[in-house]
Amino acid sequence: MAGIVGYGVHVPIYRIRIEDIARVWNEDAESIKKGLNIREKSVPSTDEDAATIAVEAARRAVKHAGIDAHSIGAVYVGSESHPYAVKPTAAVVVQAIEAGNDVMAADLEFACKAGTAGMQMAMGLVDSGMIRYGMAIGSDTSQGRPGDALEYTASAGGAAFIIGREKKDMIADILKTVSFTSDTPDFWRREGAVFPSHAGRFTGEPGYFRHIMNATKMLFEETGFKASDFDYAVFHQPNGKFPVNVAARLGFTEKQIEKGLITPVIGNTYSGSSMIGLAATLDAAKPGQRIMMTSFGSGAGSDSFAIEVTDNIASKRRNSVLVRQLIEKNKTYIDYSIYLKNRGSIKKR
Amino acid sequence: MERSSASLWRKIRPRYNLVGNECKNCNTGYFPPRVVCRNCGRKSKMAEKQFSGNGTVYSFTVIRTPPDTFKDEAPYTIGVIKLDEGPMVEGHVIDTGAKLRIGAKVKMAFRKMYVEDDEGLIHYHFKFEPL
């Protein structure tokens, strides 16, 4: 089956601490930090959006893969914050990585799992022989209404994965992927609305937990694997608490998820969330190890992947920027007023 | 800044990827591209060249009195970057903190340069960031 040939991540350098947000809304920062298991979140610069983040991640992925961008036959970009309502982010990426014009491309939206849906689409095209390589990106500058619980977590970042089928350049083989989808009204944003709405506690059990548990159990059934057959597990991370909880329910240990648990230090990057977690896990993985990833997108659905790392991972690592290092590089803290300005929330007329 | 789709479209490759040209006769690189090589004149053999985006800060200044287009971003840094392949390029230098100095190594980044208005086009462009 198709596998991962390379990957790249981008996270803006700006951070805001939970204390700075809590102070504005007279809330107790310590209880929020403990309750959501998050310390700070990334904030885009004024000159960043989901397209620039996608391009930065895509360029790193091409470099990591060590392939000619012209051999990429499809580019799919999943996001909830595409800069244009009509004009594809994917076309900007195709141009910016100089992939040529003979490329299939489209923007995807499935809340926080559009990027992993893109990985499945690229796998299908690669396995059918229609293309040699496909690129799937999850990238967001997430929205959260000021004063809403989401404001503590909604952040910015993205990851790009290049999918191919030739064993010689594959760093990880995707053994199996399955999806679980249902019409669930847990979180939404209508056309033209600035901020998403959500159904509070309803987003938990009927949304996040039901879909992730079912998709992961389907993966177990179809592969014959159980939690202990994997070295690592990665889940969508709307906060730092849910993935720890769902991992325990599925029989995974905290050690299996710690490498990919990124939300406590950068927040929820929406479409980028599980994919950045996978990238951070691959940064640490050794040949022969197995990784389980299950994404989640509200609305709702989960994509689950069984991945086995190949011998090529070590030799390609010299082309990559490690996620944990990237997150710390040039990290710059801003306060709530600069955060509002960077988000474009201060109206001057 | 122009508000023309055609003008924006024509400049996309140089703006996204530093696509200029070089003279194959004397191996001199140019950005933006030149029709004729400064050294070789009529013997010029100009060919497209995509520069790596890696370079060194030759000089820089901090803009505190910006044009209207960038008034919300001041203060910001404009640098003259000597690309590894030779040409000098002027551009925004981002994420500098207080550490930028002449001779610092930089690489190309991809950012928004300019947004026309709420209903207009977004102009993406190369900028430079410290390594």
Side-chain angles (χ1 to χ4, degrees):
Chain A
M1 235 179 145
I4 297 163
V5 173
Y7 58 91
V9 166
H10 180 75
V11 178
I13 65 165
Y14 294 104
R15 301 284 184 281
I16 185 166
R17 294 187 174 94
I18 298 306
E19 286 85 346
D20 284 313
I21 302 173
R23 188 179 306 126
V24 175
W25 304 109
N26 281 327
E27 294 194 85
D28 178 21
E30 286 310 311
S31 71
I32 289 161
K33 286 166 75 175
K34 195 165 168 234
L36 296 176
N37 186 21
I38 181 170
R39 296 198 296 275
E40 56 199 41
K41 68 168 191 172
S42 63
V43 181
S45 174
T46 50
D47 61 0
E48 288 180 292
D49 61 21
T52 66
I53 291 170
V55 167
E56 294 284 9
R59 284 178 173 171
R60 288 191 179 117
V62 171
K63 192 174 173 198
H64 181 221
I67 62 168
D68 178 357
H70 283 93
S71 56
I72 294 171
V75 173
Y76 296 110
V77 184
S79 182
E80 296 181 41
S81 47
H82 290 292
Y84 290 96
V86 179
K87 187 178 181 308
T89 308
V92 177
V93 174
V94 167
Q95 186 74 57
I97 61 172
E98 289 273 335
N101 301 114
D102 52 342
V103 184
M104 290 180 253
D107 285 359
L108 308 176
E109 189 282 312
F110 195 139
C112 297
K113 83 157 188 87
T116 57
M119 286 174 69
Q120 292 174 323
M121 291 165 68
M123 287 175 67
L125 293 169
V126 162
D127 274 333
S128 71
M130 283 178 72
I131 59 172
R132 187 172 175 201
Y133 298 112
M135 176 182 277
I137 301 172
S139 169
D140 259 304
T141 54
S142 314
Q143 313 92 347
R145 195 185 305 274
D148 187 87
L150 275 181
E151 194 183 19
Y152 291 103
T153 53
S155 68
F161 280 79
I162 298 175
I163 306 295
R165 65 175 178 281
E166 294 159 35
K167 295 283 180 201
K168 67 176 172 47
D169 60 7
M170 207 183 272
I171 59 161
D173 198 355
I174 301 176
L175 306 173
K176 186 82 190 173
T177 180
V178 297
S179 293
F180 183 90
T181 307
S182 80
D183 187 345
T184 304
D186 58 336
F187 175 105
W188 62 93
R189 180 165 66 84
R190 293 279 301 276
E191 182 73 40
V194 177
F195 299 112
S197 300
H198 60 82
R201 297 180 72 84
F202 183 82
T203 59
E205 288 301 331
Y208 183 87
F209 290 99
R210 175 175 179 233
H211 291 82
I212 288 193
M213 302 272 291
N214 277 296
T216 308
K217 283 175 182 167
M218 274 167 59
L219 188 78
F220 286 172
E221 278 169 25
E222 296 206 15
T223 57
F225 293 143
K226 52 190 181 304
S228 59
D229 291 322
F230 293 93
D231 298 276
Y232 304 100
V234 182
F235 299 97
H236 174 54
Q237 303 162 32
N239 51 54
K241 191 171 87 173
F242 278 18
V244 175
N245 187 327
V246 82
R249 290 198 208 179
L250 286 162
F252 292 99
T253 63
E254 288 199 13
K255 193 165 171 37
Q256 282 170 292
I257 62 168
E258 70 178 3
K259 295 286 184 207
L261 191 61
I262 296 291
T263 282
V265 287
I266 64 166
N268 177 12
T269 53
Y270 284 26
S271 301
S273 176
S274 52
M275 294 170 78
I276 295 175
L278 176 60
T281 304
L282 285 165
D283 280 351
K286 296 183 180 70
Q289 290 190 318
R290 280 197 206 114
I291 303 168
M292 199 289 304
M293 171 175 74
T294 305
S295 62
F296 171 70
S298 290
S302 280
D303 305 324
S304 196
F305 298 77
I307 297 164
E308 191 168 275
V309 177
T310 73
D311 292 340
N312 297 325
I313 195 148
S315 61
K316 279 204 182 175
R317 205 164 272 153
R318 63 174 171 264
N319 301 332
S320 71
V321 184
L322 298 180
V323 175
R324 298 276 178 180
Q325 288 175 9
L326 184 86
I327 288 171
E328 293 303 317
K329 192 185 171 213
N330 291 334
K331 190 167 79 171
T332 305
Y333 287 99
I334 57 172
D335 61 20
Y336 195 82
S337 50
I338 300 294
Y339 164 73
L340 285 185
K341 184 188 161 205
N342 281 13
R343 299 286 312 181
S345 302
I346 299 178
K347 296 291 175 206
K348 293 197 284 190
R349 12 172 217 171
Chain B
M1 286 285 178
E2 75 285 351
R3 298 170 65 90
S4 151
S5 281
S7 168
L8 164 63
W9 175 71
R10 272 194 292 272
K11 292 172 186 159
I12 275 182
R13 293 191 71 220
R15 285 180 170 190
Y16 284 16
N17 274 306
L18 280 166
V19 177
N21 62 3
E22 71 174 341
C23 174
K24 290 288 183 192
N25 196 35
C26 67
N27 296 320
T28 303
Y30 293 102
F31 187 88
R34 282 177 64 97
V35 177
V36 175
C37 174
R38 218 162 19 208
N39 304 324
C40 303
R42 75 176 69 170
K43 291 180 188 158
S44 302
K45 286 183 184 162
M46 307 309 288
E48 183 181 282
K49 180 175 178 64
Q50 182 178 340
F51 295 100
S52 66
N54 296 319
T56 308
V57 176
Y58 176 81
S59 184
F60 68 95
T61 185
V62 178
I63 305 291
R64 298 177 194 280
T65 310
D68 282 353
T69 309
F70 303 119
K71 65 180 187 299
D72 289 343
E73 290 175 41
Y76 57 89
T77 304
I78 297 290
V80 177
I81 309 302
K82 186 169 174 55
L83 297 177
D84 286 355
E85 299 92 341
M88 296 276 211
V89 180
E90 193 180 273
H92 287 241
V93 187
I94 56 170
D95 302 351
T96 55
K99 294 172 290 188
L100 195 66
R101 58 178 175 79
I102 287 172
K105 295 278 184 198
V106 294
K107 68 181 177 71
M108 182 175 68
F110 186 82
R111 293 291 188 275
K112 285 190 286 189
M113 177 62 81
Y114 163 68
V115 180
E116 291 178 0
D117 54 41
D118 286 350
E119 296 189 2
L121 288 165
I122 302 165
H123 296 236
Y124 296 104
H125 207 286
F126 67 80
K127 292 187 178 180
F128 293 96
E129 62 181 331
L131 274 184

